[in-house]
């Protein structure tokens, strides 16, 4: 590796400054907003990645063909000061300062309240390899630093001490504590330093990258960490919080906010490969609906495994096996009458004997080999094939035509799967919309554009409805279009425990709409206790689905073990009772960049214990979930963070002091749930599940503290399906709760023109709370009741 050791200021420009570096390199430093700057190193031959698809600031989307990397017109670009000295140059806004050390070249970042919260290491902070083209960025590391993010990574939330790659693989059966890499390319880290300042560091590259967060040590350079980009450009954004929650929201603003999907997508869903793989698939799926009715299981969606497209052991996307599915329309109609939406698995690789392979190849719709001019053939799941090229207009067109003809025409939506694009041919290249991109710089781009193609096809077909789709792979940007999940997990208590942390890591990384395969996809059939505990934990993830691929054709369903079916049914019903709360969080995630799943430190960052490794998490600001992740466990030690004026047991209403650990009962039918003093939880107001996700009744459970205090929460309401909310057809219930030792006052004010489907909001205080209650409804009637 060659160091870029010397720099000189070339000029100040309107959006920052230009520096000349060794060996003909250039550094561009951009001031994009008061608290957002960007560092771009340009090699002598020019940028290897001249376009970006991941950065979508201020609510804009990116053109299909990408955005010019040097175009910063979508950013604020505020005024800044530049001071030039003999050995350094300083650029500063009122919120963020950067000191550029000219020799050896390096940067140091400060705010008015946090001097030197981040800095490059003092020796050779930037290096490049003439032989491989790799480039490295080294930063100083402190033992007290905490590192979060990087997408769907395994292990504890704090990644300090680990070395992780952003390469994406079809990681069936991964270890949720140790495996790496997994499914997504996510070159983004949240850093919290010893002073408590948090900042984000996003490397805008589609090349595979390695993040060493303290695994490597070298006596000559002190403590350091680095990012190595294998084949792309070094282009990073740095933005200060100062809190972790601020960093999370700012990254959502930088790369695009989460798609706001339909309310039914928050309901319970089921799928299993064995059902669609079976020779009698259509009768078995029909029987699944009958079993749902028999066991009174609320369910909003069913996800077809890819078996509907399989002939023998091979799967052919956008085909139907009519022997297994003689009358798809009749089956779809039965699901529709049961109120169950359908989503079908779709894969981007065409096996070499696919009936449409020749047509797709002739149209240029497949990723090509630059040396032969033919499709690049490689190993896929059930054989060899070539991948659809979503950087070619014909690839997008072929995909959307097939999706429309074979799925959308039946009312079935698309589930983007097996889209890690494991194309390992060094000569393979994406078309790049006429500007070819080597596969090692475009691999993650393909699932991003695949997901977008599916999203836009569905938006065009069902123009009055919000889009729902899901993707397994991709880089930052997939959240603009789709839900995601943690991939093909393995059935074990170990996975249950570590998937919780993976979900929180994904949420901190900007994937707010996520979840896990409840019960485990791969491996043995879950025993009754494990399945119950997984349902109890999974009921609080945005994506709540059972999925499985088990030897012998066993299927994870609520009735898999009859002795625990009533418990599982009750937890699925609790999920539906809590949908008004989940839906309000869903809206805030899309609108404000607030994750639904939150580690304790997101809400209670000032308490050091909240950073301890934990099986617990917050669902929004008002519900602490203490999952049970060990067999035979019937009580849980739960740490209740300091900050609120106490906590209340969700089940009993009992008050518990904050800032302590308590032993909470955890019988098989229940896990510990706590709410902070002042919490408000909107719910449905009936045990009747026939309306599922569209149940119109509402109650508001309130949890006032013991001493004087106040709190607020906003309940969001709309029709749950259409795009009319964009035109203002929604309502917000502004709830303000005040309490003393003797009184409780609640004021609920309705804002917005949406006509609520309920006339009265029932207010439910904790059991045994005898304080005098005053209810004030403005634009809505309030009533009390136990």
């Amino acid at each position: 590796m060659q160091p870029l050791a010397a720099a000189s200021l070339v000029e100040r420009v309107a959006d920052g400054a230009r520096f000349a570096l060794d060996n003909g390199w250039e550094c561009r430093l951009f001031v994009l907003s008061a608290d957002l700057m960007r560092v771009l190193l340009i090699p002598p031959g020019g940028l290897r990645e001249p376009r970006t698809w991941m950065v979508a600031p201020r609510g804009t989307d990116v053109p299909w063909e990408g955005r010019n990397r040097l175009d910063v017109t979508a950013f604020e670009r505020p005024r800044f000061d530049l001071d030039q000295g003999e050995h350094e140059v300083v650029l500063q806004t009122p919120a963020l300062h950067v000191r550029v050390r000219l020799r050896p070249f390096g940067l140091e970042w400060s705010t008015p309240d946090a001097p030197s919260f981040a800095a490059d290491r003092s020796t050779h902070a930037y290096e490049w390899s003439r032989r491989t083209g790799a480039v490295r960025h080294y930063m100083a590391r402190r033992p007290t630093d905490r590192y979060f993010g990087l997408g769907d990574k395994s292990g504890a939330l704090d990644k300090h001490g680990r070395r992780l790659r952003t390469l994406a693989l079809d990681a069936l059966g991964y270890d949720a504590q140790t495996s790496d890499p997994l499914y997504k390319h996510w070159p983004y880290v949240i850093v919290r330093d010893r002073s408590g300042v948090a900042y984000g560091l996003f490397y805008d590259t589609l090349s595979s990258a390695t993040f060493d967060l303290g695994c490597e040590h070298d006596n000559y350079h002190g403590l350091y960490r680095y990012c190595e980009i294998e084949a792309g450009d070094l282009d990073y954004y740095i933005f200060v919080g100062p809190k972790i929650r601020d960093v999370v929201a700012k990254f959502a603003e930088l790369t695009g906010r989460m798609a706001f999907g339909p309310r039914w997508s928050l309901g319970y869903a089921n799928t299993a490969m064995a059902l669609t793989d079976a020779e009698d698939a259509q009768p078995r799926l029909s029987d699944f609906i009958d079993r749902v009715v028999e066991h009174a299981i609320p369910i909003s969606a069913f996800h077809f495994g890819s078996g509907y497209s399989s002939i023998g052991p091979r799967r052919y996307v956008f085909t139907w096996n009519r022997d297994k599915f003689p009358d798809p329309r009749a089956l779809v109609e039965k699901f529709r009458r049961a109120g169950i939406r359908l989503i079908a698995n779709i894969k981007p690789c065409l096996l070499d004997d696919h009936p449409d392979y020749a047509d797709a190849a002739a149209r240029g719709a497949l990723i090509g080999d630059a040396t032969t001019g033919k499709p690049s053939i490689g190993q896929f799941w059930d054989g060899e094939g070539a991948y659809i090229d979503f950087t070619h207009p014909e690839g997008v067109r072929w995909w959307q035509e097939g999706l429309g003809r074979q799925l959308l025409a039946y009312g079935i939506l698309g589930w983007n799967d097996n889209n890690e694009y494991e194309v390992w041919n060094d000569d393979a290249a994406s078309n790049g919309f006429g500007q070819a991109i080597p596969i090692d710089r475009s691999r993650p781009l393909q699932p991003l554009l695949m997901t977008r193609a599916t999203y836009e096809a569905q938006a065009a077909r069902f123009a009055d409805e919000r889009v729902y789709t899901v993707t397994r792979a991709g880089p930052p940007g997939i959240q603009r279009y789709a839900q995601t999940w943690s991939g093909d997990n393995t059935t074990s208590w170990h996975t249950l425990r570590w998937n919780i942390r993976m979900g929180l890591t994904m949420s901190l990384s900007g994937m707010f709409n996520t979840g896990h395969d409840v019960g485990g996809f791969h491996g043995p059939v879950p025993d009754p206790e494990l399945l119950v505990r997984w349902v109890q934990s999974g009921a609080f993830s945005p994506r709540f689905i059972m999925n499985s691929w088990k030897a012998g054709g066993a299927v994870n369903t609520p009735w898999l073990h009859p002795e625990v079916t009533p418990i599982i049914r009750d937890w699925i019903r609790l999920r539906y009772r809590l949908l008004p709360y989940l839906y309000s969080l869903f809206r805030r995630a899309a609108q404000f960049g607030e994750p639904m799943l939150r580690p304790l430190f997101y809400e209670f960052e000032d308490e050091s214990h909240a950073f301890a490794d934990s099986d617990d998490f917050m669902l929004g600001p008002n519900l602490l979930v203490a999952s049970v992740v060990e067999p035979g466990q019937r009580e849980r030690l739960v740490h209740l963070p300091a900050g609120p004026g106490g906590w209340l047991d969700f089940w009993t209403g009992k008050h518990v002091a904050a800032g302590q650990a308590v032993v909470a009962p955890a019988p098989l039918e229940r896990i510990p749930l706590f709410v902070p003093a002042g919490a408000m939880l909107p719910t449905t107001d009936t045990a009747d599940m026939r309306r599922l996700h569209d149940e119109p009744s509402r109650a508001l459970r309130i949890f006032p503290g013991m001493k004087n205090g106040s709190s607020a929460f906003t309940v969001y309401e709309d029709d749950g399906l259409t795009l009319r909310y964009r035109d203002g057809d929604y309502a917000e219930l502004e709830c303000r709760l005040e309490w003393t030792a003797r009184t409780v006052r609640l004021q609920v004010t309705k804002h917005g023109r949406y006509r609520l489907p309920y006339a009265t909001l029932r207010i439910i205080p904790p059991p045994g709370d005898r304080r005098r209650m005053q209810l004030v409804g403005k634009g809505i009637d309030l009533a009390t009741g136990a």
Side-chain angles (χ1 to χ4, degrees), residues 264 266-271 288-289 291-293 296-303 335 338-342 544-546 557-559 572-573 576 689-693:
W264 62 258
L266 294 174
Y268 171 69
N270 218 127
T271 183
F288 175 88
I289 302 172
R291 299 292 295 275
V292 164
V293 174
I297 303 297
I299 181 171
S300 295
F302 185 86
H303 295 230
F335 273 103
I340 303 173
R341 296 275 181 153
L342 289 176
F544 181 32
I545 184 171
M546 283 193 192
T557 62
W559 53 86
I572 295 174
R573 289 181 172 184
Y576 280 90
M689 293 288 136
R690 287 176 295 179
R691 298 289 297 273
L692 296 171
H693 43 269

Side-chain angles (χ1 to χ4, degrees), residues 744-760:
V744 174
R745 184 180 189 274
L746 174 68
Q747 177 174 305
V748 179
T749 305
K750 177 182 180 290
H751 302 284
R753 69 169 189 253
Y754 176 67
R755 183 175 180 179
L756 298 173
Y758 50 94
T760 302

Side-chain angles (χ1 to χ4, degrees), residues 211-291:
F211 287 80
D212 189 304
L213 301 176
C215 182
E216 182 175 295
H217 293 255
D218 187 331
N219 180 54
Y220 301 142
H221 299 284
L223 296 180
Y224 62 85
R225 55 189 164 96
Y226 69 78
C227 171
E228 177 178 310
I229 297 168
E230 294 181 12
D233 291 312
L234 180 57
D235 183 6
Y236 66 89
Y237 294 74
I238 185 167
F239 43 99
V240 67
K243 297 296 186 182
I244 289 173
R245 65 188 309 127
D246 304 317
V247 176
V248 172
K250 289 174 182 180
F251 183 66
E253 181 71 15
L254 179 64
T255 60
R257 294 194 178 117
M258 181 196 85
F260 183 44
R263 188 167 51 221
W264 62 258
S265 67
L266 294 174
Y268 171 69
N270 218 127
T271 183
M273 286 186 60
L275 296 179
T276 53
D277 280 352
E279 292 301 317
D280 57 344
Q282 184 159 338
R284 291 192 64 180
L285 287 170
S286 180
D287 178 68
F288 175 88
I289 302 172
D290 296 337
R291 299 292 295 275

Side-chain angles (χ1 to χ4, degrees), residues 464-691:
D464 295 331
E465 293 188 9
R466 294 174 224 168
V467 173
Y468 171 79
T469 186
V470 60
T471 183
R472 191 170 74 178
I478 56 172
Q479 75 281 356
R480 303 193 293 257
Y481 315 116
Q483 184 185 77
T484 190
W485 85 107
S486 58
D488 295 341
N489 58 359
T490 300
T491 299
S492 69
W493 289 94
H494 177 82
T495 301
L496 170 58
R497 163 171 274 152
W498 291 99
N499 265 171
I500 291 170
R501 292 152 177 79
M502 285 182 66
L504 295 172
T505 291
M506 293 165 74
S507 290
L508 289 174
S509 299
M511 290 175 270
F512 306 145
N513 192 357
T514 190
H516 317 283
D517 287 348
V518 170
F521 177 79
H522 183 62
V525 175
D527 63 48
E529 183 185 12
L530 177 55
L531 185 60
V532 166
R533 294 309 195 188
W534 218 314
V535 168
Q536 290 168 337
S537 182
F540 300 101
S541 289
R543 175 179 169 89
F544 181 32
I545 184 171
M546 283 193 192
N547 188 16
S548 53
W549 186 27
K550 305 297 184 186
V555 174
N556 289 352
T557 62
W559 53 86
L560 174 64
H561 299 295
E563 65 270 33
V564 295
T565 296
I567 298 176
I568 292 173
R569 180 195 302 118
D570 286 346
W571 276 87
I572 295 174
R573 289 181 172 184
L574 177 63
R575 166 67 170 228
Y576 280 90
R577 293 297 301 271
L578 287 171
L579 270 188
Y581 178 58
L582 281 155
Y583 193 59
S584 296
L585 300 179
F586 195 45
R587 178 58 183 154
R588 291 192 67 85
Q591 190 173 14
F592 300 114
E594 298 176 1
M596 301 169 71
L597 296 176
R598 306 172 181 184
L600 298 183
F601 59 72
Y602 180 94
E603 288 293 329
F604 309 104
E605 190 170 344
D606 294 332
E607 188 191 316
S608 60
H609 197 285
F611 286 91
D613 185 60
S614 174
D615 301 318
D616 306 340
F617 60 90
M618 298 293 295
L619 177 63
N622 290 339
L623 190 58
L624 187 154
V625 180
S627 299
V628 175
V629 297
E630 295 179 6
Q633 192 172 31
R634 295 298 181 264
E635 60 183 22
R636 265 288 322 271
L637 185 68
V638 182
H639 180 82
L640 300 175
W647 291 81
L648 291 86
D649 187 306
F650 172 85
W651 304 108
T652 67
K654 178 183 177 182
H655 281 260
V656 184
Q660 65 167 330
V662 299
V663 177
L668 183 59
E669 65 273 12
R670 184 174 292 183
I671 62 172
L673 300 175
F674 290 91
V675 296
M680 289 175 270
L681 294 176
T683 70
T684 64
D685 195 27
T686 179
D688 187 343
M689 293 288 136
R690 287 176 295 179
R691 298 289 297 273

